[in-house]
Amino acid sequence: MALVPVKRRRRAAAGPVLPEAAAGPGRFPGVVLCLVERGLGARRWALLAERARAAGFCLHSAGSAAVTHVVAEQCSAEEALAWLARRRGSATGSVPSAQTEPGTSTALLDLSWLLESLDAGRPLDVEPRHRLPVTSSETPSPAVPAYGCQRRTPLVHPNGVLTDALETLAQDAAFGGDERRSLAFTRAASVLKALPQRLGSIRELAALPGIGEHCRKVIQEVLEDGSSAEVEAVRRSEWYRTMQLFTGIFGVGTQTATCWYREGLRTLADLRAAGPRLSRQQQAGLRYWEDLATPVTLAEAEAIGELVRAEAWRILPGTTMTLVGGFRRGKPTGHDVDLLLSHPEEGKERALLGPLVTRLEQQGLLLYQQSQPNTFGLEPSSSTMDRFEHCFAIMCLALPGAGGPGTGRAVRVDLVVVPRGQFAFALLGWTGSRHFERELRRFAGRQCGLALSNHGLYDPQREMFLPATSEEEIFQLLGLDYVPPAERNA
Ligand code: UTP
Ligand code: MN
């Protein structure tokens, strides 16, 4: 990918400045917005300001005494006031005085109020849930941001019973082909995963974003009875159990599994006996099913990574190998091993995968493999998969004391070859979790007007890719606080 250098827009050192006189009164008398830049980042600030003005809102800077609605994100009321005071101090060159403090008529609001108002095309009445939380109160409610990529989500959290229940319903909806419904359950589960404490009562849900009526009912049931009748019924159902079994086979998606279920197939023995026309991939998935259903440990993943790296060096010295996926997020086990291969000199990586696969094959280390060339920038595709050169394989991991080649245990391995210029994006994309990635892309699109993929961050207005050499830079370009891999378990 040829990256076009971005000309960074020059901004006044003091931050965005709004010429109030030029701003006009706006379409809504009595409503003057001030957007707190802290927590938003310059890019999103500019984008939101533009949207608000286009919708007819009047925007003033922090120094203006006319401000009626202060809008902030990921911010307590105290933090917003402190930010305003600092801005007023620097704008006037003096210590903020009582006169410049926002009066009691000034509402301190969460960004959700502005986004909802923009959707409605008018300033909405302020509801309690719109107000910024006051942190000095007796019971501080954690302000949980709306997007999974704005939250820190550890691997281990205290609400597993609730999130397992919601994720069962998410999976069931996905099996039924209802992606929207599935996403609603996944989103609710993801919000609960970010809570530092166990959810004590249904009332606490009021402070949380994105928990719909159905989720609330399930949560209430689990809190009160220890389990949800609906969830238990799903878990017992033949449909759900069979779909779980079939979609757990390498190469089998929801559609194939649904067809097999409709044909009356229920077990692996049925599949083997009835012999539906299986793809080569599915045949391998069925043949090594038992090994592949056994979780891969971190030690096994690291051993495979090292083996691949050593073989890669024989072909292309300097090749870098990075273990990504769940292991990079701190998971002790996984369903596969995800490896990114790259080279410091862009272009050199193109000579790697073919010979590497041949070498691994010659040593009896590949039980199955399916390789694809890099197709980035070639034919358009509606697929959400990335276009890197890759080899999706089943490798044979030699067990200590085992015999010759082919006698080890089967492990699913993804080898992905990444040109250096796209490495930061591939690293971010392949680290997951899947929901974290989905939320990052949604955030980039909806909040920044940018298209994020495993290959880059595209600005459609300027028709260019915004370069980044680290994950930190990508978060910065999106105006997001950096979230380390261990806290991307959304
Ligand atoms: P995985 O499916 O391997 O999930 O995808 P995981 O988090 O490592 O979990 P386990 O332990 O193996 O089950 C890893 C990441 O790679 C991305 C996914 O979005 C996910 O975040 N990915 C996967 C891609 O970007 N492209 C792909 O073709 C496959
Ligand atoms: Mn994985």
Side-chain angles (χ1 to χ4, degrees):
M1 171 172 58
L3 290 174
V4 193
V6 182
K7 266 191 214 153
R8 289 183 195 281
R9 277 197 195 134
R10 282 174 200 276
R11 280 195 294 116
V17 174
L18 291 167
E20 260 97 50
R27 275 175 53 208
F28 312 110
V31 176
V32 179
L33 303 187
C34 169
L35 261 179
V36 175
E37 191 197 7
R38 175 198 176 283
L40 281 177
R43 179 178 294 277
R44 280 183 70 217
W45 185 95
L47 188 92
L48 285 164
E50 210 171 292
R51 277 183 69 191
R53 274 199 221 96
F57 284 89
C58 172
L59 256 82
H60 281 197
S61 59
S64 164
V67 171
T68 58
H69 292 62
V70 174
V71 175
E73 190 183 42
Q74 296 204 62
C75 195
S76 68
E78 288 86 347
E79 287 168 331
L81 280 176
W83 181 88
L84 275 179
R86 275 200 306 280
R87 275 301 158 93
R88 287 174 182 193
S90 63
T92 60
S94 66
V95 183
S97 70
Q99 265 182 318
T100 54
E101 289 288 336
T104 45
S105 59
T106 309
L108 298 172
L109 301 173
D110 184 77
L111 184 63
S112 60
W113 174 82
L114 178 58
L115 293 176
E116 287 171 29
S117 297
L118 288 174
D119 283 345
R122 63 181 168 81
L124 293 181
D125 291 341
V126 172
E127 293 176 31
R129 68 191 168 88
H130 291 132
R131 295 195 187 274
L132 293 180
V134 179
T135 52
S136 58
S137 78
E138 285 293 303
T139 50
S141 73
V144 177
Y147 289 82
C149 54
Q150 295 174 300
R151 305 188 287 258
R152 290 178 168 252
T153 314
L155 187 61
V156 182
H157 62 85
N159 286 294
V161 179
L162 294 173
T163 58
D164 284 354
L166 294 171
E167 284 180 333
T168 297
L169 298 181
Q171 200 177 30
D172 186 52
F175 287 159
D178 195 340
E179 285 303 328
R180 252 178 78 103
R181 209 168 112 83
S182 176
L183 198 52
F185 288 123
T186 301
R187 285 221 178 102
S190 175
V191 166
L192 297 186
K193 286 181 187 180
L195 296 183
Q197 274 135 23
R198 189 184 287 220
L199 192 82
S201 95
I202 198 82
R203 282 191 304 278
E204 292 169 33
L205 293 181
L208 305 181
I211 304 211
E213 202 38 50
H214 194 149
C215 292
R216 170 186 303 272
K217 231 186 68 203
V218 172
I219 292 168
Q220 181 163 20
E221 219 183 328
V222 175
L223 285 179
E224 288 172 3
D225 308 337
S227 66
S228 144
E230 183 189 2
V231 172
E232 293 312 311
V234 166
R235 285 179 183 158
R236 276 193 309 270
S237 78
E238 189 176 33
W239 155 257
Y240 181 77
R241 285 163 169 259
T242 309
M243 288 299 282
Q244 257 196 324
L245 176 70
F246 287 173
T247 56
I249 302 168
F250 176 47
V252 180
T254 305
Q255 283 187 10
T256 305
T258 307
C259 285
W260 290 348
Y261 186 88
R262 292 206 179 122
E263 288 167 26
L265 306 174
R266 295 292 181 270
T267 65
L268 298 184
D270 288 349
L271 290 183
R272 289 184 174 121
R277 297 156 309 281
L278 298 181
S279 68
R280 199 170 67 86
Q281 190 181 28
Q282 291 161 353
Q283 284 173 28
L286 209 52
R287 185 174 318 132
Y288 301 109
W289 182 82
E290 203 167 12
D291 272 1
L292 299 186
T294 309
V296 186
T297 65
L298 177 60
E300 288 175 327
E302 282 174 340
I304 287 177
E306 266 319 302
L307 187 154
V308 168
R309 198 186 64 88
E311 292 301 326
W313 270 67
R314 289 173 193 272
I315 299 152
L316 184 65
T319 298
T320 62
M321 181 281 297
T322 313
L323 178 59
V324 288
F327 290 112
R328 186 158 181 259
R329 302 196 308 275
K331 280 178 70 175
T333 60
H335 96 281
D336 67 355
V337 181
D338 307 296
L339 299 175
L340 297 189
L341 299 172
S342 187
H343 193 278
E345 251 177 88
E346 176 135 355
K348 286 230 160 148
E349 80 286 344
R350 273 182 246 151
L352 177 62
L353 194 65
L356 176 61
V357 167
T358 304
R359 272 197 73 90
L360 295 173
E361 232 156 18
Q362 281 166 351
Q363 295 172 66
L365 293 167
L366 287 188
L367 301 171
Y368 167 88
Q369 73 89 13
Q370 165 203 354
S371 295
Q372 285 275 320
N374 187 315
T375 55
F376 182 63
L378 299 179
E379 81 277 13
S381 150
S382 58
S383 160
T384 54
M385 297 259 291
D386 62 44
R387 321 287 289 277
F388 292 117
E389 183 180 20
H390 67 248
C391 170
F392 292 168
I394 298 177
M395 278 184 74
C396 178
L397 177 66
L399 298 172
T407 56
R409 115 169 181 66
V411 177
R412 270 276 300 116
V413 179
D414 288 346
L415 304 175
V416 183
V417 179
V418 181
R420 182 55 55 171
Q422 299 168 37
F423 187 78
F425 295 96
L427 180 64
L428 180 60
W430 274 87
T431 296
S433 67
R434 271 175 198 279
H435 187 62
F436 189 88
E437 302 300 332
R438 186 163 39 211
E439 290 288 277
L440 265 178
R441 291 192 295 267
R442 191 167 71 99
F443 182 91
R446 300 252 294 245
Q447 301 287 331
C448 311
L450 301 171
L452 176 68
S453 76
N454 288 4
H455 296 277
L457 183 61
Y458 186 72
D459 183 341
Q461 271 182 344
R462 287 187 281 170
E463 298 183 354
M464 68 191 292
F465 283 96
L466 310 180
T469 57
S470 69
E471 289 180 314
E472 284 87 343
E473 274 180 55
I474 302 172
F475 279 88
Q476 221 166 45
L477 285 169
L478 296 171
L480 284 168
D481 283 342
Y482 178 67
V483 179
E487 294 183 292
R488 296 184 203 157
N489 290 289

